[in-house]
Amino acid sequence: MNDQKTEEQQSSRAAFAVATGRTKGYHPVAVDTFLASARAAFEHGGDLGAADVRTASFPLVKGGYVVGDVDAALSRVEDAFAARERDRAVRSEGAGVWVEQARDEAQVILDHLARPRRHRFARTGALTFGYRVDEVDHVATRIVRYLRDGDALSAEQLRSAAFRMQRGGYREEQVDALLDAAIDVILAVR
């Protein structure tokens, strides 16, 4: 009887800490459902991959899971999927092909970021908000130094990059796509 009670208590506990006060967190059911499907896909095969984990999003609600805790867990899940994808590709295509693909992707990123500062991405209109140009350019410079010079930069640093908004800033979707591509390269060469 005590074993059954302990199992029920464990299953009724939240998977993550719950946000308190006025702070909102990720919707617990949405997070739990996504992580369950990710686990099933990882263990039994499925359509879910590292990019799907990276782009997962959840509604913010009162009493939701602490955002930072869930994001950290998602980073670990993404890393596991990326490692599996890399291993499968290396087994099927060979390490040389995998490295060449990563090198090609890195070159595309470098070519894009070779544009002059303040002109690296399309801008929003003068009355529309976009990512703050100087902050994005700073991160872009770090990406270039990583790809060109081998300076230290982790996927986690790019995942956690956050930019303030400004009128006439860089278009979010372009910046986000480039960050995703840079993360893919970092994960590919780990």
Side-chain angles (χ1 to χ4, degrees):
M1 187 72 140
N2 281 343
D3 289 337
Q4 184 180 10
K5 190 174 186 179
T6 303
E7 287 176 6
E8 288 174 10
Q9 287 172 340
Q10 287 176 344
S11 67
S12 69
R13 279 191 227 152
F16 298 96
V18 175
T20 59
R22 294 182 180 196
T23 304
K24 291 184 177 183
Y26 289 143
H27 193 283
V29 174
V31 171
D32 292 342
T33 301
F34 179 81
L35 289 176
S37 65
R39 178 183 209 136
F42 190 80
E43 291 175 352
H44 307 294
D47 294 337
L48 200 64
D52 300 309
V53 175
R54 184 179 320 123
T55 59
S57 62
F58 310 102
L60 292 173
V61 297
K62 282 190 78 151
Y65 291 149
V66 173
V67 169
D69 293 353
V70 174
D71 287 347
L74 289 172
S75 294
R76 292 188 299 274
V77 171
E78 180 188 357
D79 289 347
F81 273 101
R84 184 179 73 179
E85 291 165 9
R86 179 181 58 242
D87 291 345
R88 284 181 178 168
V90 167
R91 276 195 309 270
S92 69
E93 301 170 4
V97 171
W98 180 260
V99 169
E100 190 59 36
Q101 289 173 345
R103 185 175 290 132
D104 290 347
E105 181 90 12
Q107 190 59 55
V108 168
I109 294 168
L110 283 170
D111 291 346
H112 184 94
L113 296 181
R115 297 172 181 169
R117 291 177 69 80
R118 307 191 60 74
H119 299 284
R120 290 180 169 152
F121 299 93
R123 305 286 280 269
T124 62
L127 301 177
T128 309
F129 285 92
Y131 286 150
R132 198 168 152 139
V133 172
D134 59 332
E135 293 173 356
V136 172
D137 280 346
H138 174 75
V139 172
T141 299
R142 292 201 57 207
I143 292 169
V144 168
R145 288 182 182 152
Y146 168 79
L147 295 173
R148 188 188 61 210
D149 305 330
D151 285 7
L153 182 66
S154 71
E156 187 55 40
Q157 288 171 312
L158 292 182
R159 287 181 189 125
S160 63
F163 307 107
R164 292 178 289 177
M165 303 300 277
Q166 75 176 66
R167 290 185 194 277
Y170 283 144
R171 292 195 176 278
E172 295 174 46
E173 59 278 358
Q174 287 189 355
V175 174
D176 291 345
L178 186 122
L179 291 177
D180 285 346
I183 290 169
D184 285 341
V185 169
I186 290 171
L187 293 176
V189 298
R190 268 190 174 171

